[in-house]
Amino acid sequence: MKKGIHPEYMETKVTCGSCGNTFTVRSNRPELEVEICNQCHPYYTGKQSTVKKDGRIDKFNKKYGLNQAK
């Protein structure tokens, strides 16, 4: 590798803009700010439920009168 052309790789303090959580990663910037982190994201905290796809086929069949005994 050529010397003097690569950025310095250092410890980086990451701050969440929503909840204020801070953690450390390695990057070529001294500080980063993110909009949302794993501590306040609805999917990771359990506040968001997954979309249920059960019954879509049954709903379609019922709507169009399919699978009914003739």
Side-chain angles (χ1 to χ4, degrees):
M1 291 175 43
K2 292 183 179 180
K3 296 188 186 277
I5 63 169
H6 300 287
E8 183 181 345
Y9 196 59
M10 64 186 98
E11 293 282 324
T12 302
K13 178 182 173 185
V14 181
T15 306
C16 177
S18 297
C19 67
N21 183 33
T22 60
F23 53 94
T24 306
V25 296
R26 293 190 46 93
S27 177
N28 59 354
R29 293 185 177 195
E31 290 187 14
L32 291 172
E33 185 172 333
V34 294
E35 293 178 10
I36 195 162
C37 68
N38 65 335
Q39 297 296 317
C40 59
H41 192 281
Y43 184 77
Y44 293 113
T45 59
K47 294 178 183 174
Q48 176 185 7
S49 62
T50 57
V51 177
K52 294 186 179 183
K53 296 180 182 179
D54 299 335
R56 282 190 171 187
I57 296 172
D58 294 332
K59 184 178 176 182
F60 177 84
N61 290 336
K62 185 177 179 182
K63 181 178 180 180
Y64 292 104
L66 304 174
N67 285 350
Q68 292 181 354
K70 292 183 178 182

